[in-house]
């Protein structure tokens, strides 16, 4: 099996919304993103249940069926960090939009390629649009955190194909797609 990544997925962790309180009156949240053997972490935002991170993290996607796990923690100085919820990031609809390739070049900027509705299979709290803008395909998402009383995380996905990447194609047997 070809071990080269399909491409690189940049996850822009924008902000947390109404995160759970885990300390006396607030929390010190940070986000951990896990994909297969890759783990990335945002900085800690002290005493804030509505933190703004605006951090970009890039992961190599080798298998599109491996879940992307986003977990929020409350940082504690003297004890173990408290879990503040988690969500899986569903990328299948996004990857399907990428497969449109050259057809996208005719679309105007800001055009919604696909709309993804919240369901039991994803953690979306609201409809999410996959958008063609300035030669790139992006998807903004607000994810409802599971295993916690409240909280959402706002993120944006953006795909990159570079040297050494297999690329996303309409065929599972290989080929090259246009870079986005």
């Amino acid at each position: 099996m070809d071990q080269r990544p399909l491409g690189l997925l940049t996850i822009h962790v924008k902000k947390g919304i109404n995160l759970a309180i885990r300390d006396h009156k607030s929390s010190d949240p940070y986000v951990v993103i896990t994909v297969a053997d890759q783990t990335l972490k945002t900085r800690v935002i002290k005493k804030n249940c509505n933190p703004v991170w605006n951090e970009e993290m890039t992961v190599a996607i080798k298998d599109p069926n491996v879940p992307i796990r986003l977990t929020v923690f409350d940082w504690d100085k003297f004890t173990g960090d408290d879990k503040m919820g988690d969500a899986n990031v569903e990328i299948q609809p996004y990857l399907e939009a990428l497969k449109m390739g050259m057809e996208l070049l005719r679309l105007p900027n800001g055009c919604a390629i696909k709309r993804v509705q919240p369901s039991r299979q994803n953690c979306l709290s609201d409809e999410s649009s996959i958008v063609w803008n300035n030669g790139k395909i992006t998807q903004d998402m607000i994810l409802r955190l599971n295993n916690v009383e409240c909280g959402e995380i706002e993120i944006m996905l953006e795909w990159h194909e570079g040297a050494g990447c297999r690329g996303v194609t309409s065929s599972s047997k290989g080929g090259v797609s246009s870079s986005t």
Side-chain angles (χ1 to χ4, degrees), residues 15-26:
K15 64 183 181 177
I17 304 163
N18 193 31
L19 299 180
I21 295 172
R22 289 292 180 259
D23 293 333
H24 178 60
K25 291 183 180 178
S26 189

Side-chain angles (χ1 to χ4, degrees), residues 40-111:
L40 302 166
K41 180 177 135 180
T42 66
R43 71 188 187 284
V44 174
I45 305 281
K46 299 273 189 153
K47 298 181 179 167
N48 196 331
C49 290
N50 293 290
V52 176
W53 287 284
N54 278 331
E55 292 186 34
E56 291 184 356
M57 294 180 241
T58 302
V59 293
I61 303 296
K62 293 180 182 175
D63 180 350
N65 299 310
V66 172
I68 298 173
R69 186 84 165 160
L70 183 145
T71 308
V72 182
F73 290 95
D74 169 51
W75 177 82
D76 287 317
K77 187 172 186 172
F78 299 110
T79 61
D81 294 352
D82 302 314
K83 191 170 176 183
M84 297 175 64
D86 55 67
N88 284 334
V89 179
E90 173 67 49
I91 65 167
Q92 292 302 336
Y94 182 74
L95 294 177
E96 287 176 21
L98 289 171
K99 291 177 185 178
M100 293 175 68
M102 297 303 284
E103 296 172 34
L104 297 172
L105 296 176
R106 293 178 286 209
L107 296 176
N109 274 341
C111 182

Side-chain angles (χ1 to χ4, degrees), residues 3-177:
Q3 289 300 308
R4 293 178 302 150
L6 285 172
L8 304 174
L9 182 67
T10 296
I11 303 169
H12 181 157
V13 180
K14 293 181 175 184
K15 64 183 181 177
I17 304 163
N18 193 31
L19 299 180
I21 295 172
R22 289 292 180 259
D23 293 333
H24 178 60
K25 291 183 180 178
S26 189
S27 292
D28 305 317
Y30 65 93
V31 177
V32 174
I33 296 173
T34 307
V35 183
D37 60 349
Q38 303 167 80
T39 301
L40 302 166
K41 180 177 135 180
T42 66
R43 71 188 187 284
V44 174
I45 305 281
K46 299 273 189 153
K47 298 181 179 167
N48 196 331
C49 290
N50 293 290
V52 176
W53 287 284
N54 278 331
E55 292 186 34
E56 291 184 356
M57 294 180 241
T58 302
V59 293
I61 303 296
K62 293 180 182 175
D63 180 350
N65 299 310
V66 172
I68 298 173
R69 186 84 165 160
L70 183 145
T71 308
V72 182
F73 290 95
D74 169 51
W75 177 82
D76 287 317
K77 187 172 186 172
F78 299 110
T79 61
D81 294 352
D82 302 314
K83 191 170 176 183
M84 297 175 64
D86 55 67
N88 284 334
V89 179
E90 173 67 49
I91 65 167
Q92 292 302 336
Y94 182 74
L95 294 177
E96 287 176 21
L98 289 171
K99 291 177 185 178
M100 293 175 68
M102 297 303 284
E103 296 172 34
L104 297 172
L105 296 176
R106 293 178 286 209
L107 296 176
N109 274 341
C111 182
I113 300 166
K114 186 173 192 168
R115 297 184 196 284
V116 183
Q117 299 298 322
S119 71
R120 290 179 187 230
Q121 285 72 41
N122 63 40
C123 293
L124 295 174
S125 67
D126 201 0
E127 177 181 88
S128 173
S129 293
I130 301 169
V131 178
W132 172 258
N133 215 359
N134 296 322
K136 298 178 183 177
I137 299 173
T138 60
Q139 182 178 8
D140 283 302
M141 301 177 163
I142 298 177
L143 301 170
R144 178 183 59 251
L145 295 175
N146 295 317
N147 305 309
V148 68
E149 61 272 18
C150 61
E152 298 173 330
I153 297 290
E154 185 176 336
I155 66 170
M156 183 188 74
L157 305 180
E158 184 178 331
W159 188 260
H160 308 276
E161 291 179 3
C165 293
R166 291 181 284 159
V168 177
T169 63
S170 56
S171 164
S172 61
K173 297 203 177 198
V176 178
S177 72

